[in-house]
């Protein structure tokens, strides 16, 4: 029993410590944003890595999720004679939930892990100390360009995932499962509004901050050599996934009330 | 070795510095003055806190107690941003080079110049090539750190640390892992940088040949304190049993592990 309490206490303390570190990192990033000039060469490099190189993954994820979701909806709705509702259901789900969440998870897996591994390696090989010794503030040089690149890239990727999902859903429903195309499209336009699209894009923006802070914090706090790099990478992905999923629950209510 | 170019004025003053890492008390009240223009060699056993002390000098680590003065400024308690302008006047050669993997060799060496605001690409290229030539790596700027051997990485790191001509250079085991010829060239380079650019140097090393060739003074760190500080001839010929055993590489019974 004592061992369990001890373990639970350690977990809670660990979570509180991580939360504190993330808050301080966010504060530091915000301060650096207004204090130092933006390094556009590093920003462009990060946009290429985070944004441009993720396009393929996001198209595949968004497209296939939209296609599968449309097929499942059609299978169920057909029995109720509601096939004409497939379009709006797919579009709303893609805009509000599937697009932003799945895109964020893909980016957390692809980009978050890479960022954590790179920063952790830089830490254990003293490259971060070398930056400091060369009179460069690490947050400004390493984190700010990644932060801005995530803020720019993820909402665009989310929009792309939504478009691909809706497009693939349309294709499967209309051309494969023979739902009348006019109903599909008219109902989609009728029930999907600016609010749905805004919720998706704003969620993408908020998820980008979460993924960046969790991943970078894991990288910067790593230790124990090569083992520490592996651990930081794994924990960055797992923690980013969990944080995105939990935050999504609260953002859903919040954004629904605000927008 | 001591010459007239060395001022009596200290550039760095370490006063009563203590540091605990985990459960180990690494530094136990270190006091040391490093004068402007001198090359101070710090020797001591592995794991004895030499690198930790070196990192304290440019505040890469903060002490648990004590003061570290660089010029007229106490570095203890300053935050990272307050330290940035002070570090523009210092350079450090890390034990494993600590080259930036994402930059080519040339970009690594050019890094301090760019950070100092130099924008003339022609000038940067010329300075980088000159620095690489000095460390015996001419025309290697296009390579990547991953393509270099340990010795080459260290020499590139030396070129990077020295290119901006800092007032204070810190060397963490500059000759470890290098063959005797390259070690000798690094020793000569450290002397040259000190003499020509009036750089103050602090060199942490186990290499007694290097210590003799490079040092104006040698300080021995023993059990977390400065055990002795004197000119190389005096320290390296000392009859004090602790100094003698270290300098001549003689272990005692307590050193036997197996």
């Amino acid at each position: 029993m004592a061992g369990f309490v001890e373990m639970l206490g350690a977990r809670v303390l660990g979570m509180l410590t991580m939360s504190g570190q993330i808050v301080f990192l966010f504060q530091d990033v915000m301060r650096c944003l207004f204090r130092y000039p933006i390094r556009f060469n590093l920003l462009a490099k990060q946009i290429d890595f985070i944004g441009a190189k993720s396009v393929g993954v996001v198209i595949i994820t968004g497209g296939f999720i939209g296609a599968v979701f449309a097929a499942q909806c059609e299978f169920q709705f057909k029995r109720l004679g509601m096939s004409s509702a497939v379009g709006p259901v797919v579009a709303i789900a893609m805009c509000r939930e599937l697009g932003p969440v799945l895109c964020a998870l893909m980016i957390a897996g692809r980009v978050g892990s890479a960022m954590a591994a790179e920063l952790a390696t830089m830490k254990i090989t003293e490259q971060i100390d070398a930056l400091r010794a060369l009179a460069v503030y690490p947050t400004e040089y390493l984190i700010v360009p990644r932060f801005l690149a995530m803020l720019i890239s993820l909402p665009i990727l989310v929009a792309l995932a939504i478009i691909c999902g809706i497009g693939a859903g349309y294709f499967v429903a209309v051309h494969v499962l023979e739902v009348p195309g006019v109903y599909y499209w008219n109902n989609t336009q009728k029930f999907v509004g600016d609010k749905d699209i805004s919720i998706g894009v704003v969620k993408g923006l908020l998820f980008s901050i979460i993924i960046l802070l969790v991943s970078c914090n894991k990288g910067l706090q790593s230790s124990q050599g090569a083992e520490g790099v592996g651990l930081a990478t794994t924990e960055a992905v797992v923690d980013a996934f969990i944080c995105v999923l939990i935050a999504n629950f609260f953002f859903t209510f919040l954004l629904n009330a605000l927008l | 070795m001591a010459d007239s170019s060395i001022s009596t004025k200290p550039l760095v003053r370490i006063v009563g510095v203590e540091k605990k890492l985990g459960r180990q008390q690494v530094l136990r009240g270190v006091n040391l003055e490093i004068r402007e223009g001198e090359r101070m060699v710090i020797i001591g056993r592995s794991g004895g806190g030499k690198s930790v002390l070196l990192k304290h000098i440019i505040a890469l680590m903060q002490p648990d107690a004590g003061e570290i003065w660089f010029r007229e400024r106490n570095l203890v308690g300053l935050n990272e941003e307050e330290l940035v302008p002070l570090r523009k006047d210092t350079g450090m050669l890390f034990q494993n080079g600590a080259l930036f993997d994402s930059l080519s060799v040339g970009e690594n060496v050019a890094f301090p110049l760019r950070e100092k605001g130099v924008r003339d690409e022609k000038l940067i290229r010329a300075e980088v090539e000159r620095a690489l030539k000095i460390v015996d790596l001419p025309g290697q700027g296009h390579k990547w750190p991953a393509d270099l051997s340990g010795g080459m990485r260290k020499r590139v790191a030396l070129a990077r640390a020295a290119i901006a001509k800092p007032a204070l250079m810190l060397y963490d085991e500059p000759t470890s892992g290098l063959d005797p010829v390259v070690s000798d060239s690094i020793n000569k380079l450290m002397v040259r940088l000190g003499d020509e650019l009036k750089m103050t140097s602090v060199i942490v090393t186990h290499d007694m040949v290097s210590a003799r060739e490079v040092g104006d003074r040698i300080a021995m760190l023993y059990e977390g304190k400065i055990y002795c500080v004197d000119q190389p001839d005096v320290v390296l010929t000392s009859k004090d049993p602790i100094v003698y055993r270290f300098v001549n590489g003689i272990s005692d019974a307590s050193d036997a592990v197996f």
Side-chain angles (χ1 to χ4, degrees), chain A residues 31-32 35-36 39 45 118 121-122 125-138 141, chain B residues 55 58-61 80-81 84 87-88 90 92 94-96 98-103 111-112 115 160:
Chain A
R31 210 166 37 82
C32 288
R35 198 165 183 142
Y36 297 97
R39 292 175 186 262
K45 201 174 154 188
E118 188 180 356
T121 307
M122 285 187 78
T125 55
E126 294 185 307
Q127 290 177 54
I128 291 180
D129 275 347
L131 268 182
R132 295 167 66 207
L134 289 164
V136 175
Y137 190 48
Y141 186 83
Chain B
K55 286 184 176 178
I58 50 169
L60 292 177
M61 288 177 125
E80 281 293 312
E81 285 187 302
V84 165
R87 287 179 182 148
K88 286 193 191 292
T90 62
M92 180 161 177
F94 287 82
Q95 207 167 335
N96 296 311
L99 295 179
F100 303 129
D101 293 329
S102 56
L103 302 179
F111 191 90
E115 287 305 312
R160 182 181 69 181

Side-chain angles (χ1 to χ4, degrees), chain B residues 8-19:
Chain B
T8 51
K9 195 175 145 196
L11 182 70
V12 177
R13 271 194 310 123
I14 300 166
V15 185
V17 165
E18 293 177 17
K19 183 71 179 177

